[in-house]
């Protein structure tokens, strides 16, 4: 992708559906009873991996006019797949489906691309084994491919997570739906709660607050229709772009603002960002709103280790804001970034440097000396096949005095098909209704 520096952006956009909620909408409706209509589903590469896997398990999913209808009939009607289940680049697919398949009555093998097969899987294998799952992985049960001999007789357990991960929590909860007894999860920090909200919406007996979830598997899940709000992680690139470009003003319609995901807005406001949340409402148990943003003069902040899980996917975008903020921004204890689609600390630091950002890493901290007059350099940068690195580099490049080429930018389709169009729309379409 080629990006030319520009002066301003203005206009109104809709952001594609939330990736985390899209995965869950398919998986949870496939194990519920009845038909669920899913609107605004995110047709990105990651979510299509979940869809293809469910089809291989013989779940009936209709695609009509860009919407989906899932004909759920419970895990009992999943069929043993006749080949490996390929999850591509999608951590959410492999981790959450491992939880569901642990409770099946057949064998399955989950594998992914080279990034997935090198990311940590011990974090799901270990707790699922505690529940009685017969689940195995490469390198002493720490990596994919994952082999599962389904066990319909799992036991509910009290599990203390080692990392605050929503994927791990979701895998355990979905396995817990089929276990004997209560499943309880205690996390070392807050992570996104979309699974809990959707299970509650589908009628499950679940109580969740902060770091604590308790699921009693005594009720059937009943399918309901779902409208997927826009993905706040995708919206973050445009919020940051608006803040850092002069004379800019944008309105993002229908974005999810779940409190376990919207902390990025609080941090950007703390940096001096003028951001207004409008038209707040609840759709299928998820809060949604419109987000209006204006160009702002930003100042640096310090992000603590405990805050990292709340902005885990937005840190690349936050680093762009920090590059133009006055003062030194420190993002502390961001180790989890090393286990994402790429080692995001290394990817951000190495590529942002190429575009003249004064940035460094120290252990697991990212340190950025911002400059309100910052102009990005020119030339080539690479994404490491990581969608969020490619998108943050694109936004940073809008501040270039010339042209920047982002190599291997196709990976953006992993979460945000239409990203380039959305940038162009805001460059050329200067209307806000
Ligand atoms: C996700 C959880 C997060 C996040 C990922 C999506 C989810 O990962 O980074 O992009 O949908 O549950 P972890 O659970 O590893 O923190």
């Amino acid at each position: 992708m080629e990006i030319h520096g520009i002066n301003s952006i203005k206009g109104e956009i809709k952001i594609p559906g939330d990736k985390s909620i899209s995965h869950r909408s398919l998986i949870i409706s496939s194990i519920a009873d009845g038909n669920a209509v899913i609107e605004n589903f995110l047709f990105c590469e990651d979510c299509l991996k979940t869809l293809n896997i469910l089809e291989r398990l013989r779940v009936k999913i209709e695609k009509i006019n860009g919407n989906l209808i899932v004909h759920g009939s419970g895990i009992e009607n999943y069929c043993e797949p006749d080949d490996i289940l390929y999850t591509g680049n999608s951590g959410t697919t492999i981790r959450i489906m491992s939880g569901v398949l642990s409770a099946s009555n057949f064998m399955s093998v989950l594998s992914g691309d080279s990034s997935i097969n090198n990311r940590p899987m011990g974090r799901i294998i270990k707790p699922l084994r505690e529940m009685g799952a017969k689940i195995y992985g490469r390198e002493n049960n720490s990596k994919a491919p994952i082999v599962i001999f389904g066990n319909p007789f799992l036991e509910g357990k009290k599990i203390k997570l080692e990392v605050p991960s929503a994927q791990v929590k979701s895998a355990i909860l979905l396995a817990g739906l089929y276990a004997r007894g209560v499943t309880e999860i205690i996390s070392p920090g807050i992570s996104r709660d979309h699974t809990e909200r959707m299970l509650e919406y589908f009628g499950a007996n679940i109580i969740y607050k902060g770091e604590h979830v308790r699921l009693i598997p005594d009720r059937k899940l009943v399918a309901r229709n779902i409208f997927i709000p826009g993905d706040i992680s995708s919206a973050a690139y445009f919020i940051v772009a608006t803040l850092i470009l002069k004379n800019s003003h944008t309105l993002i319609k229908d974005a999810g603002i779940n409190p376990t995901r919207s902390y990025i807005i609080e941090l950007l406001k703390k940096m001096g960002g003028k951001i207004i949340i409008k038209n707040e409402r609840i759709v299928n148990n998820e809060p949604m709103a419109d987000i209006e943003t204006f160009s702002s003069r930003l100042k640096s902040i310090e992000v603590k280790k405990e805050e990292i899980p709340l902005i885990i996917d937005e840190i690349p975008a936050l680093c762009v804001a920090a590059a133009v903020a006055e003062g030194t921004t420190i993002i502390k204890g961001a180790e989890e970034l090393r286990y994402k689609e790429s080692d995001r600390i290394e990817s951000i630091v190495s590529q942002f440097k190429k575009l003249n950002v004064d940035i460094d890493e120290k252990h697991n901290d990212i340190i950025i000396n911002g400059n309100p007059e910052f102009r990005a350099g020119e030339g080539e940068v690479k994404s490491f096949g990581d969608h969020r690195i490619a998108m943050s580099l694109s936004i940073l490049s809008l501040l270039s005095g010339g042209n920047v080429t982002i190599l291997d930018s196709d990976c953006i389709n992993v979460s945000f098909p239409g990203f380039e169009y959305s940038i162009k729309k805001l460059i050329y379409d200067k209307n806000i209704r």
Side-chain angles (χ1 to χ4, degrees):
M1 187 158 79
E2 288 260 337
I3 301 274
H4 315 280
I6 55 157
N7 293 324
S8 72
I9 53 172
K10 276 202 178 90
E12 190 177 299
I13 50 166
K14 265 196 176 210
I15 291 291
D18 187 278
K19 182 157 81 74
S20 294
I21 304 179
S22 292
H23 284 293
R24 287 155 173 82
S25 70
L26 283 177
I27 298 171
I28 297 178
S29 12
S30 80
I31 55 175
D33 274 351
N35 306 324
V37 177
I38 304 174
E39 287 185 339
N40 205 35
F41 179 81
L42 175 65
F43 287 94
C44 67
E45 282 180 10
D46 267 16
C47 296
L48 288 174
K49 294 294 181 299
T50 295
L51 196 151
N52 292 342
I53 285 179
L54 291 173
E55 285 184 330
R56 282 192 156 270
L57 298 168
R58 305 278 162 75
V59 176
K60 191 172 160 217
I61 304 173
E62 286 181 83
K63 291 155 219 143
I64 307 176
N65 290 342
N67 297 314
L68 297 174
I69 304 177
V70 180
H71 300 273
S73 55
I75 194 179
E76 313 78 59
N77 286 305
Y78 276 9
C79 294
E80 186 172 70
D82 57 8
D83 204 341
I84 64 154
L85 301 171
Y86 184 66
T87 67
N89 195 242
S90 177
T92 307
T93 310
I94 196 162
R95 294 207 177 104
I96 300 191
M97 283 311 296
S98 291
V100 181
L101 290 168
S102 289
S104 70
N105 56 10
F106 51 74
M107 182 210 166
S108 49
V109 180
L110 293 145
S111 187
D113 65 11
S114 61
S115 156
I116 276 295
N117 288 357
N118 281 299
R119 288 175 64 185
M121 294 299 151
R123 54 181 64 188
I124 49 155
I125 294 179
K126 207 167 149 228
L128 288 169
R129 282 182 157 220
E130 278 178 49
M131 298 172 76
K134 298 185 178 112
I135 177 168
Y136 308 85
R138 201 166 59 84
E139 286 188 19
N140 199 18
N141 297 322
S142 70
K143 288 197 176 149
I146 291 172
V147 179
I148 300 169
F149 295 94
N151 173 13
F153 305 102
L154 298 176
E155 296 278 342
K157 286 270 148 67
K158 181 171 181 169
I159 292 172
K160 279 196 172 171
L161 297 188
E162 282 164 18
V163 276
S165 157
Q167 292 172 351
V168 176
K169 182 174 62 172
S170 304
I172 297 169
L173 284 173
L174 296 189
L177 285 173
Y178 302 98
R180 204 173 52 197
V182 178
T183 293
E184 210 175 325
I185 305 174
I186 299 152
S187 263
I190 293 176
S191 61
R192 63 194 68 191
D193 64 3
H194 304 301
T195 302
E196 294 89 311
R197 284 172 182 266
M198 200 175 288
L199 287 177
E200 179 176 65
Y201 178 64
F202 275 43
N205 190 352
I206 184 165
I207 301 164
Y208 54 101
K209 196 162 190 263
E211 290 91 345
H212 203 148
V213 193
R214 196 177 145 87
L215 172 83
I216 304 164
D218 61 351
R219 294 185 200 155
K220 266 199 164 300
L221 297 185
V222 181
R224 295 183 68 182
N225 295 346
I226 300 170
F227 177 87
I228 317 262
D231 197 320
I232 182 103
S233 304
S234 302
Y237 301 104
F238 295 100
I239 298 171
V240 169
T242 315
L243 293 173
I244 63 173
L245 289 163
K246 305 248 160 28
N247 300 316
S248 296
H249 176 198
T250 57
L251 182 67
I252 298 173
K253 304 277 283 180
D254 303 340
I257 53 154
N258 177 315
T260 60
R261 297 283 301 284
S262 59
Y263 192 60
I264 181 68
I265 309 262
E266 301 315 310
L267 286 186
L268 291 170
K269 280 185 179 170
K270 201 167 149 192
M271 293 175 84
K274 189 166 178 213
I275 304 171
I276 302 168
I277 304 292
K278 294 171 139 178
N279 196 12
E280 276 185 62
R281 63 253 192 226
I282 302 277
V283 281
N284 37 258
N285 222 10
E286 286 282 352
M288 186 165 98
D290 303 337
I291 304 173
E292 188 169 19
T293 311
F294 300 85
S295 319
S296 305
R297 201 176 160 84
L298 301 177
K299 52 184 192 296
S300 60
I301 44 162
E302 194 174 306
V303 180
K304 299 193 193 75
K305 185 177 185 319
E306 308 82 80
E307 296 171 291
I308 299 292
L310 294 172
I311 48 161
I312 189 72
D313 290 342
E314 293 77 54
I315 293 174
L318 182 67
C319 290
V320 177
V324 296
E326 186 161 8
T328 302
T329 293
I330 306 181
I331 301 170
K332 290 197 157 163
E335 185 184 353
E336 267 298 302
L337 288 190
R338 300 212 185 270
Y339 312 118
K340 294 294 173 190
E341 286 81 335
S342 69
D343 173 342
R344 285 192 178 150
I345 298 186
E346 198 188 310
S347 309
I348 294 170
V349 172
S350 66
Q351 303 309 295
F352 276 42
K353 267 191 181 159
K354 282 194 188 164
L355 293 177
N356 296 344
V357 179
D358 183 350
I359 184 168
D360 256 309
E361 60 175 288
K362 197 170 171 200
H363 308 300
N364 293 314
D365 300 348
I366 305 174
I367 303 135
I368 303 164
N369 292 311
N371 170 9
E373 303 312 319
F374 176 76
R375 299 300 289 168
E378 299 182 53
E380 277 184 1
V381 284
K382 55 182 184 183
S383 71
F384 297 91
D386 184 334
H387 54 132
R388 299 204 192 281
I389 298 303
M391 288 187 277
S392 55
L393 287 169
S394 317
I395 298 301
L396 185 64
S397 305
L398 294 174
L399 292 174
S400 168
N403 294 339
V404 180
T405 305
I406 297 156
L407 300 175
D408 200 3
S409 61
D410 283 355
C411 57
I412 290 174
N413 291 326
V414 156
S415 68
F416 196 160
F419 172 76
E420 195 173 355
Y421 169 76
S422 294
I423 299 187
K424 292 208 163 128
K425 183 172 186 295
L426 292 175
I427 296 174
Y428 299 120
D429 161 23
K430 309 256 179 218
N431 297 315
I432 289 203
R433 276 181 286 275

